[in-house]
Amino acid sequence: MSVLLETSAGDIVIDLLVDYAPKMCENFLKLCKVKYYNFSPIHSVQKSFSFQTGDPLGPMAPQSDGGTSIWGLLSGSPADRTFTALFHPKLKHIERGTVSMATAPHPSDPDRRVAASQFIVTLGDNTDYLDGKAAIFGKVVEGFDVLEKINDAIVDERGHPLVDIRIKHTVILDDPYPDPAGLREPSSSPPPTKAQLATVRIAEDEELLDEEANEEAAAQAERRRKEREAAAQALTLEMMGDLPFAEVKPPENVLFVCKLNPVTTDEDLELIFSRFGKILSCEVIRDQKTGDSLQYAFIEFEDQKSCEDAYSKMDGVLIDDRRIHVDFSQSVSRLSDVWRDDTNKKRKNAAARRAGGGWGGVKELEKRRQYRNEDVEPDDDTGYRMVHGMEDLRGRHDKERDPERGGPSSRDSARYNGDGRRPDRSPDRHGDRHWSGYGDRKGDAGRRSRSPRGGRYRDNRHDRPGGVGKSRGSRDWSRKDRRDYDRDRGASEDRDRYRGHDEYRSR
């Protein structure tokens, strides 16, 4: 046993539990049958808990009596307006969509609760607060999305939706109960009464108009977003060089033909499509390596009208046992290639006219010479040079080795190896070489060293200025000369000790 409720928010299907609540199910079915619930407002919406309906006028109407049962409606007696509600112990408010009769305590017996026409539908699970207060007689089996809309409706402080949500129509899918005496089913759904129309806050059609306006505004905003995104992508492709410019459009005289048979050739397509007008080019796209047809082609007509005629008449035509598909081309590849080749040619010609410099990719690109390169270095030494060139270093070394240019003498040169390094003193430092060297120095007291320092050092201790008898403090020597003198003095003492001379001590 089921009932369909058509509401302004959608359709709801309710299954009735006739085995557990037969009297309440009969009351509900017969009220639906006489269209008593038509235009009844949904009110007392509590989010994720429940909503209530079943009063034709609703609680906002001052003349509302809160609804009546089918027996009170048929008899017109106030005593029959309500009936005793029975609570089955196995029925609990556990699941969302539980349908139960709203009850109230009997005026003379508070332990007995009575029901009339209003019913409650839960909007959440585990609403056991209603157990013992609302008598369960059915459950929602279809239309849970409608329950979500009602749950999300904007309501005032009393739970009444600002935009009316009403029961528009009721349809009985199955009724096992016989009709009570005097029940007459209306031939059509009755229109709302003046009292019902007076309870309207914001009509349903006004909300629909607002929704349509909102949907249109949302669609326009989505179109603008897509246009901005497409413009940004086109600008990116332009920066990457894939498009000649962002506002480029595909040519309107080119057709795109696909689903071709691999055996179809360019000549076949040109012969078939030439009846619509002059063809400038017809090309079946092929694999670059194998040369096999990729089964699509581009056909360029001389004018746009021929292209449109071919599009309208050739789509779905059978060619070589294949039904082809024809559409207008969206490719700008050829335009990009033409623009790129033309631009590159202009840039290359401009670079060639400048006869120097260039731009990326041109063979005339100027070679930048930042480092010393003897192959390309000019003879006037105007290019980049080293801080100390090899010639400067070579000239300095030659000058130091040449006696006529102030370099070391042959005697001093003999004190160095062939590679310019002074030999290490060996353990036999007291050999004849050292004896003869000392004798030469002693015999030629006036000879000066020809070292690179220009003769500042004297080889003989007898050449000290001022004579031997003067004190060291009165000698007008430089500090560096004193340090060199002390070094030569120590070497002379070593030589004198081994030759038996005590000349320095006697002085």
Side-chain angles (χ1 to χ4, degrees):
M1 278 41 83
S2 302
V3 174
L4 171 64
L5 301 182
E6 297 179 2
T7 71
S8 57
D11 297 342
I12 300 175
V13 177
I14 300 175
D15 275 358
L16 302 180
L17 306 175
V18 295
D19 295 335
Y20 297 93
K23 191 173 183 65
M24 288 184 293
C25 290
E26 181 183 2
N27 177 61
F28 182 74
L29 280 171
K30 299 311 177 182
L31 289 175
C32 290
K33 193 171 187 179
V34 298
K35 311 302 179 184
Y36 180 80
Y37 290 126
N38 282 23
F39 212 70
S40 296
I42 292 175
H43 60 87
S44 302
V45 178
Q46 301 180 57
K47 189 174 181 63
S48 301
F49 188 75
S50 67
F51 71 85
Q52 187 170 333
T53 186
D55 183 0
L57 296 178
M60 298 182 65
Q63 63 271 32
S64 174
D65 58 357
T68 181
S69 68
I70 186 62
W71 299 282
L73 181 65
L74 295 177
S75 65
S77 171
D80 297 333
R81 193 177 69 86
T82 61
F83 65 96
T84 302
L86 299 177
F87 297 87
H88 197 282
K90 291 185 178 181
L91 300 179
K92 303 292 182 181
H93 293 82
I94 299 176
E95 298 178 349
R96 182 181 62 158
T98 302
V99 184
S100 55
M101 278 291 177
T103 64
H106 194 275
S108 60
D109 186 4
D111 294 334
R112 184 164 64 97
R113 301 185 72 89
V114 295
S117 64
Q118 296 195 48
F119 59 94
I120 296 173
V121 180
T122 59
L123 297 174
D125 298 329
N126 300 321
T127 55
D128 52 358
Y129 171 79
L130 297 174
D131 292 345
K133 300 179 178 65
I136 299 174
F137 69 92
K139 60 181 180 179
V140 175
V141 293
E142 294 182 17
F144 288 96
D145 56 334
V146 180
L147 299 184
E148 288 293 333
K149 292 181 181 179
I150 298 174
N151 188 47
D152 296 335
I154 301 176
V155 298
D156 58 14
E157 66 278 1
R158 292 175 295 179
H160 303 327
L162 299 181
V163 178
D164 287 348
I165 303 177
R166 296 178 179 264
I167 298 175
K168 300 169 62 177
H169 196 60
T170 57
V171 178
I172 298 175
L173 304 179
D174 189 10
D175 182 8
Y177 300 101
D179 293 340
L183 187 146
R184 296 180 59 184
E185 183 179 1
S187 60
S188 61
S189 181
T193 64
K194 291 183 178 180
Q196 289 178 322
L197 293 175
T199 61
V200 174
R201 305 180 71 179
I202 299 178
E204 172 194 355
D205 52 354
E206 296 179 7
E207 173 64 14
L208 292 178
L209 292 176
D210 293 339
E211 289 182 358
E212 292 177 358
N214 293 337
E215 291 179 358
E216 184 178 357
Q220 293 178 357
E222 181 67 15
R223 285 195 298 270
R224 289 194 297 268
R225 186 191 66 82
K226 290 183 178 180
E227 290 175 358
R228 290 195 300 268
E229 183 178 357
Q233 293 177 353
L235 183 60
T236 302
L237 293 177
E238 179 184 357
M239 296 171 63
M240 296 173 60
D242 290 345
L243 292 180
F245 48 91
E247 295 79 10
V248 65
K249 295 182 179 180
E252 297 180 350
N253 61 330
V254 178
L255 279 183
F256 171 74
V257 184
C258 62
K259 298 184 179 180
L260 294 173
N261 193 311
V263 300
T264 304
T265 62
D266 305 346
E267 293 78 7
D268 299 335
L269 284 180
E270 186 174 0
L271 180 62
I272 295 172
F273 281 85
S274 60
R275 65 189 181 95
F276 299 102
K278 183 178 179 180
I279 295 178
L280 300 180
S281 65
C282 179
E283 181 181 2
V284 176
I285 308 303
R286 300 182 179 276
D287 186 87
Q288 186 176 5
K289 295 183 179 180
T290 62
D292 298 335
S293 172
L294 298 180
Q295 304 177 21
Y296 68 92
F298 293 95
I299 303 175
E300 182 180 2
F301 288 89
E302 185 178 19
D303 53 76
Q304 181 179 352
K305 185 177 182 303
S306 301
C307 182
E308 294 176 352
D309 293 341
Y311 167 74
S312 61
K313 296 180 180 179
M314 292 301 295
D315 189 24
V317 173
L318 194 67
I319 298 180
D320 294 334
D321 297 332
R322 293 287 182 90
R323 292 198 178 274
I324 65 172
H325 174 66
V326 179
D327 199 352
F328 291 102
S329 174
Q330 300 298 317
S331 173
V332 294
S333 175
R334 176 169 294 186
L335 293 178
S336 299
D337 293 340
V338 171
W339 175 85
R340 188 180 297 109
D341 294 342
D342 183 64
T343 303
N344 290 349
K345 184 178 180 181
K346 291 180 180 178
R347 291 178 176 178
K348 186 173 182 179
N349 294 337
R353 288 194 300 269
R354 286 194 297 266
W359 63 289
V362 176
K363 293 181 179 179
E364 292 82 1
L365 180 64
E366 180 183 8
K367 183 177 180 181
R368 299 180 63 189
R369 298 173 296 189
Q370 296 181 346
Y371 304 99
R372 182 182 179 93
N373 190 339
E374 295 182 357
D375 296 334
V376 298
E377 185 178 0
D379 297 334
D380 56 354
D381 290 341
T382 59
Y384 292 95
R385 296 182 58 83
M386 298 176 63
V387 177
H388 294 288
M390 295 302 296
E391 295 83 356
D392 299 337
L393 297 177
R394 188 180 303 111
R396 179 183 299 176
H397 287 255
D398 294 342
K399 182 178 179 181
E400 292 175 351
R401 291 191 177 92
D402 189 0
E404 296 180 358
R405 298 172 61 184
S409 60
S410 59
R411 179 187 60 80
D412 292 331
S413 299
R415 298 169 58 186
Y416 294 85
N417 294 331
D419 55 357
R421 293 184 294 107
R422 186 170 183 174
D424 298 333
R425 292 183 179 271
S426 59
D428 55 344
R429 54 184 295 185
H430 312 297
D432 296 337
R433 180 182 54 173
H434 299 285
W435 292 96
S436 60
Y438 175 78
D440 294 338
R441 292 177 62 191
K442 185 176 180 180
D444 190 7
R447 184 174 56 189
R448 296 186 177 184
S449 172
R450 296 182 181 180
S451 64
R453 295 180 180 259
R456 288 171 53 194
Y457 303 97
R458 297 181 181 274
D459 292 336
N460 197 298
R461 66 178 184 274
H462 298 286
D463 293 335
R464 288 176 295 176
V468 181
K470 294 184 179 180
S471 65
R472 179 173 297 182
S474 62
R475 296 167 187 165
D476 189 16
W477 293 349
S478 67
R479 183 175 301 175
K480 185 179 294 186
D481 291 338
R482 293 193 187 99
R483 185 170 58 250
D484 296 337
Y485 166 73
D486 294 339
R487 183 192 59 191
D488 295 340
R489 175 183 175 184
S492 300
E493 288 178 352
D494 292 340
R495 296 189 186 96
D496 293 341
R497 184 181 303 114
Y498 289 100
R499 294 186 60 183
H501 295 286
D502 200 14
E503 178 181 349
Y504 182 76
R505 291 189 182 91
S506 62
R507 292 169 52 190

